[in-house]
Amino acid sequence: MTSREIGIQAIRDEAQALLDLIPKMDDGFDRAVDLMYDCHGKVIVTGVGKSGHIGAKIAATLASTGTPAFFVNPLDVYHGDLGVITPDDVVIAISNSGQTDELLRFIPMVLHIGSPIIAMSGNPQSLLAKYSTCHLNISVAREACPLNLAPTSSTTATLAMGDALAIALMQKRNFRPQDFAHFHPGGELGRKLLTTAADVMHRDDLPLLRPDTHLGEAVILVSKGKLGLGVAVDDDRRILGLITDGDIRRAMERWQAQFFDRTVADIMTREPKTVGPDTKISDVQRLQQQHKIHSVLVVDADRHLLGIVDHYSCF
């Protein structure tokens, strides 16, 4: 077999291992989700070696989707880390064999504290499964490794089971995009859902016009503003209307020689789209897409112009 064929077979083996998990999901999964949902403390994930690496990722996924969680190495428990566990916590213990010595020596301590244990192992008859509150069967027929030794299919199955728990909890908590953004403020989604119109709006040197401004002068002011529009306001900067580059072009085609005799009031949109300063950028984008417009005016409760959010401000 070529290297590519071997790689394809490995992916097929791991994909099959995931599909084989489905019939093994029983009431224990529902019990595990309920335990974490009702948990008044933290979810503490633990495991040794490759299981530990997978456990750390599961903890990170839980924490980023609304379930307070972190990873604890069972080897560190003997040197002070046991103090982080309380009776209000839930422990997820991961071991493919269910017989990992370092993990089993940790379990009696958890039982003494009184924290419920969710075991994830490939052996429902193991000691880990026996002393757990509920057990999730992550057994695989064989590893993708040709020697059937290196953790491959088994770690993939464990990771998928952890994702399944996290997703079930998201549904149970009615976890929304806004909630996700609070845990990912540095990402693109977080920026769009947490940033407001006031954070990105143009507020200086705005292209302000009077309704009686002649279009010849308006062209110059709109050009200087570099936003492709001009806002008609009264003396208190209350919005009266809006003109765009497109409005000006259409007016030139329509009136030709009489164009310079016309005023802003002749072509302005008298009810332009506006938002408040606290409007999320994601909602501004939705408004722009819905009405096929490039800019939105930011106003206060009395329709005083505060700024302008254009298409580029949202990205």
Side-chain angles (χ1 to χ4, degrees):
M1 295 177 68
T2 66
S3 296
R4 183 189 304 179
E5 290 170 337
I6 293 171
I8 290 172
Q9 186 58 48
I11 292 173
R12 283 177 174 161
D13 289 343
E14 296 200 6
Q16 187 60 51
L18 294 183
L19 293 174
D20 291 342
L21 280 182
I22 296 174
K24 298 169 188 171
M25 295 177 69
D26 53 20
D27 294 343
F29 185 88
D30 296 321
R31 176 66 174 143
V33 172
D34 289 340
L35 282 172
M36 289 189 284
Y37 181 75
D38 295 331
C39 175
H40 296 294
K42 311 166 293 296
V43 173
I44 298 172
V45 187
T46 187
V48 178
K50 301 298 188 298
S51 294
H53 295 309
I54 296 299
K57 193 277 178 185
I58 292 174
T61 299
L62 289 169
S64 69
T65 53
T67 300
F70 61 89
F71 176 79
V72 170
N73 190 320
L75 301 178
D76 293 333
V77 167
Y78 307 108
H79 302 284
D81 283 7
L82 185 64
V84 304
I85 304 176
T86 73
D88 290 330
D89 299 331
V90 172
V91 173
I92 298 179
I94 305 172
S95 168
N96 187 45
S97 67
Q99 301 289 143
T100 306
D101 181 63
E102 298 91 340
L103 190 60
L104 291 179
R105 284 190 282 129
F106 171 43
I107 296 304
M109 303 178 195
V110 179
L111 293 174
H112 177 73
I113 292 170
S115 303
I117 299 172
I118 299 170
M120 295 176 62
S121 85
N123 183 2
Q125 308 305 317
S126 64
L127 287 175
L128 178 60
K130 178 180 178 180
Y131 288 106
S132 64
T133 309
C134 59
H135 178 258
L136 303 179
N137 188 348
I138 52 169
S139 61
V140 297
R142 61 172 286 109
E143 301 287 0
C145 166
L147 302 177
N148 196 30
L149 294 175
T152 45
S153 296
S154 58
T155 49
T156 300
T158 306
L159 183 60
M161 186 64 76
D163 287 343
L165 290 171
I167 291 168
L169 280 166
M170 288 175 69
Q171 289 291 106
K172 200 172 181 70
R173 297 186 196 283
N174 191 29
F175 197 76
R176 301 165 301 169
Q178 292 88 341
D179 302 314
F180 189 86
H182 282 293
F183 294 100
H184 300 77
E188 179 64 17
L189 176 61
R191 192 189 79 83
K192 289 181 180 179
L193 292 174
L194 296 180
T195 303
T196 65
D199 294 326
V200 300
M201 68 185 184
H202 299 278
R203 59 180 80 226
D204 299 321
D205 300 322
L206 299 178
L208 304 182
L209 310 170
R210 296 296 299 265
D212 57 357
T213 301
H214 284 91
L215 292 183
E217 182 182 352
V219 170
I220 297 172
L221 294 173
V222 169
S223 178
K224 285 183 177 179
K226 298 180 180 179
L227 293 175
L229 56 81
V231 185
V233 296
D234 63 15
D235 291 336
D236 294 325
R237 282 184 49 140
R238 271 191 293 263
I239 295 174
L240 302 175
L242 173 76
I243 66 170
T244 67
D245 283 338
D247 294 328
I248 293 172
R249 288 194 302 272
R250 286 187 288 272
M252 293 180 71
E253 293 173 1
R254 177 182 178 185
W255 287 307
Q256 298 183 16
Q258 287 77 40
F259 171 80
F260 293 98
D261 297 326
R262 299 290 179 169
T263 65
V264 168
D266 292 326
I267 66 171
M268 69 183 186
T269 300
R270 298 179 183 274
E271 294 294 333
K273 302 303 177 186
T274 62
V275 296
D278 296 328
T279 304
K280 299 293 188 294
I281 284 300
S282 57
D283 293 326
V284 174
Q285 286 182 314
R286 194 174 300 114
L287 185 67
Q288 290 172 329
Q289 293 167 359
Q290 179 182 353
H291 296 282
K292 296 181 174 59
I293 55 179
H294 294 288
S295 299
V296 176
L297 307 183
V298 183
V299 300
D300 63 14
D302 296 318
R303 287 182 64 82
H304 294 105
L305 180 66
L306 302 177
I308 299 172
V309 178
D310 64 2
H311 176 74
Y312 300 103
S313 303
C314 298
F315 293 92

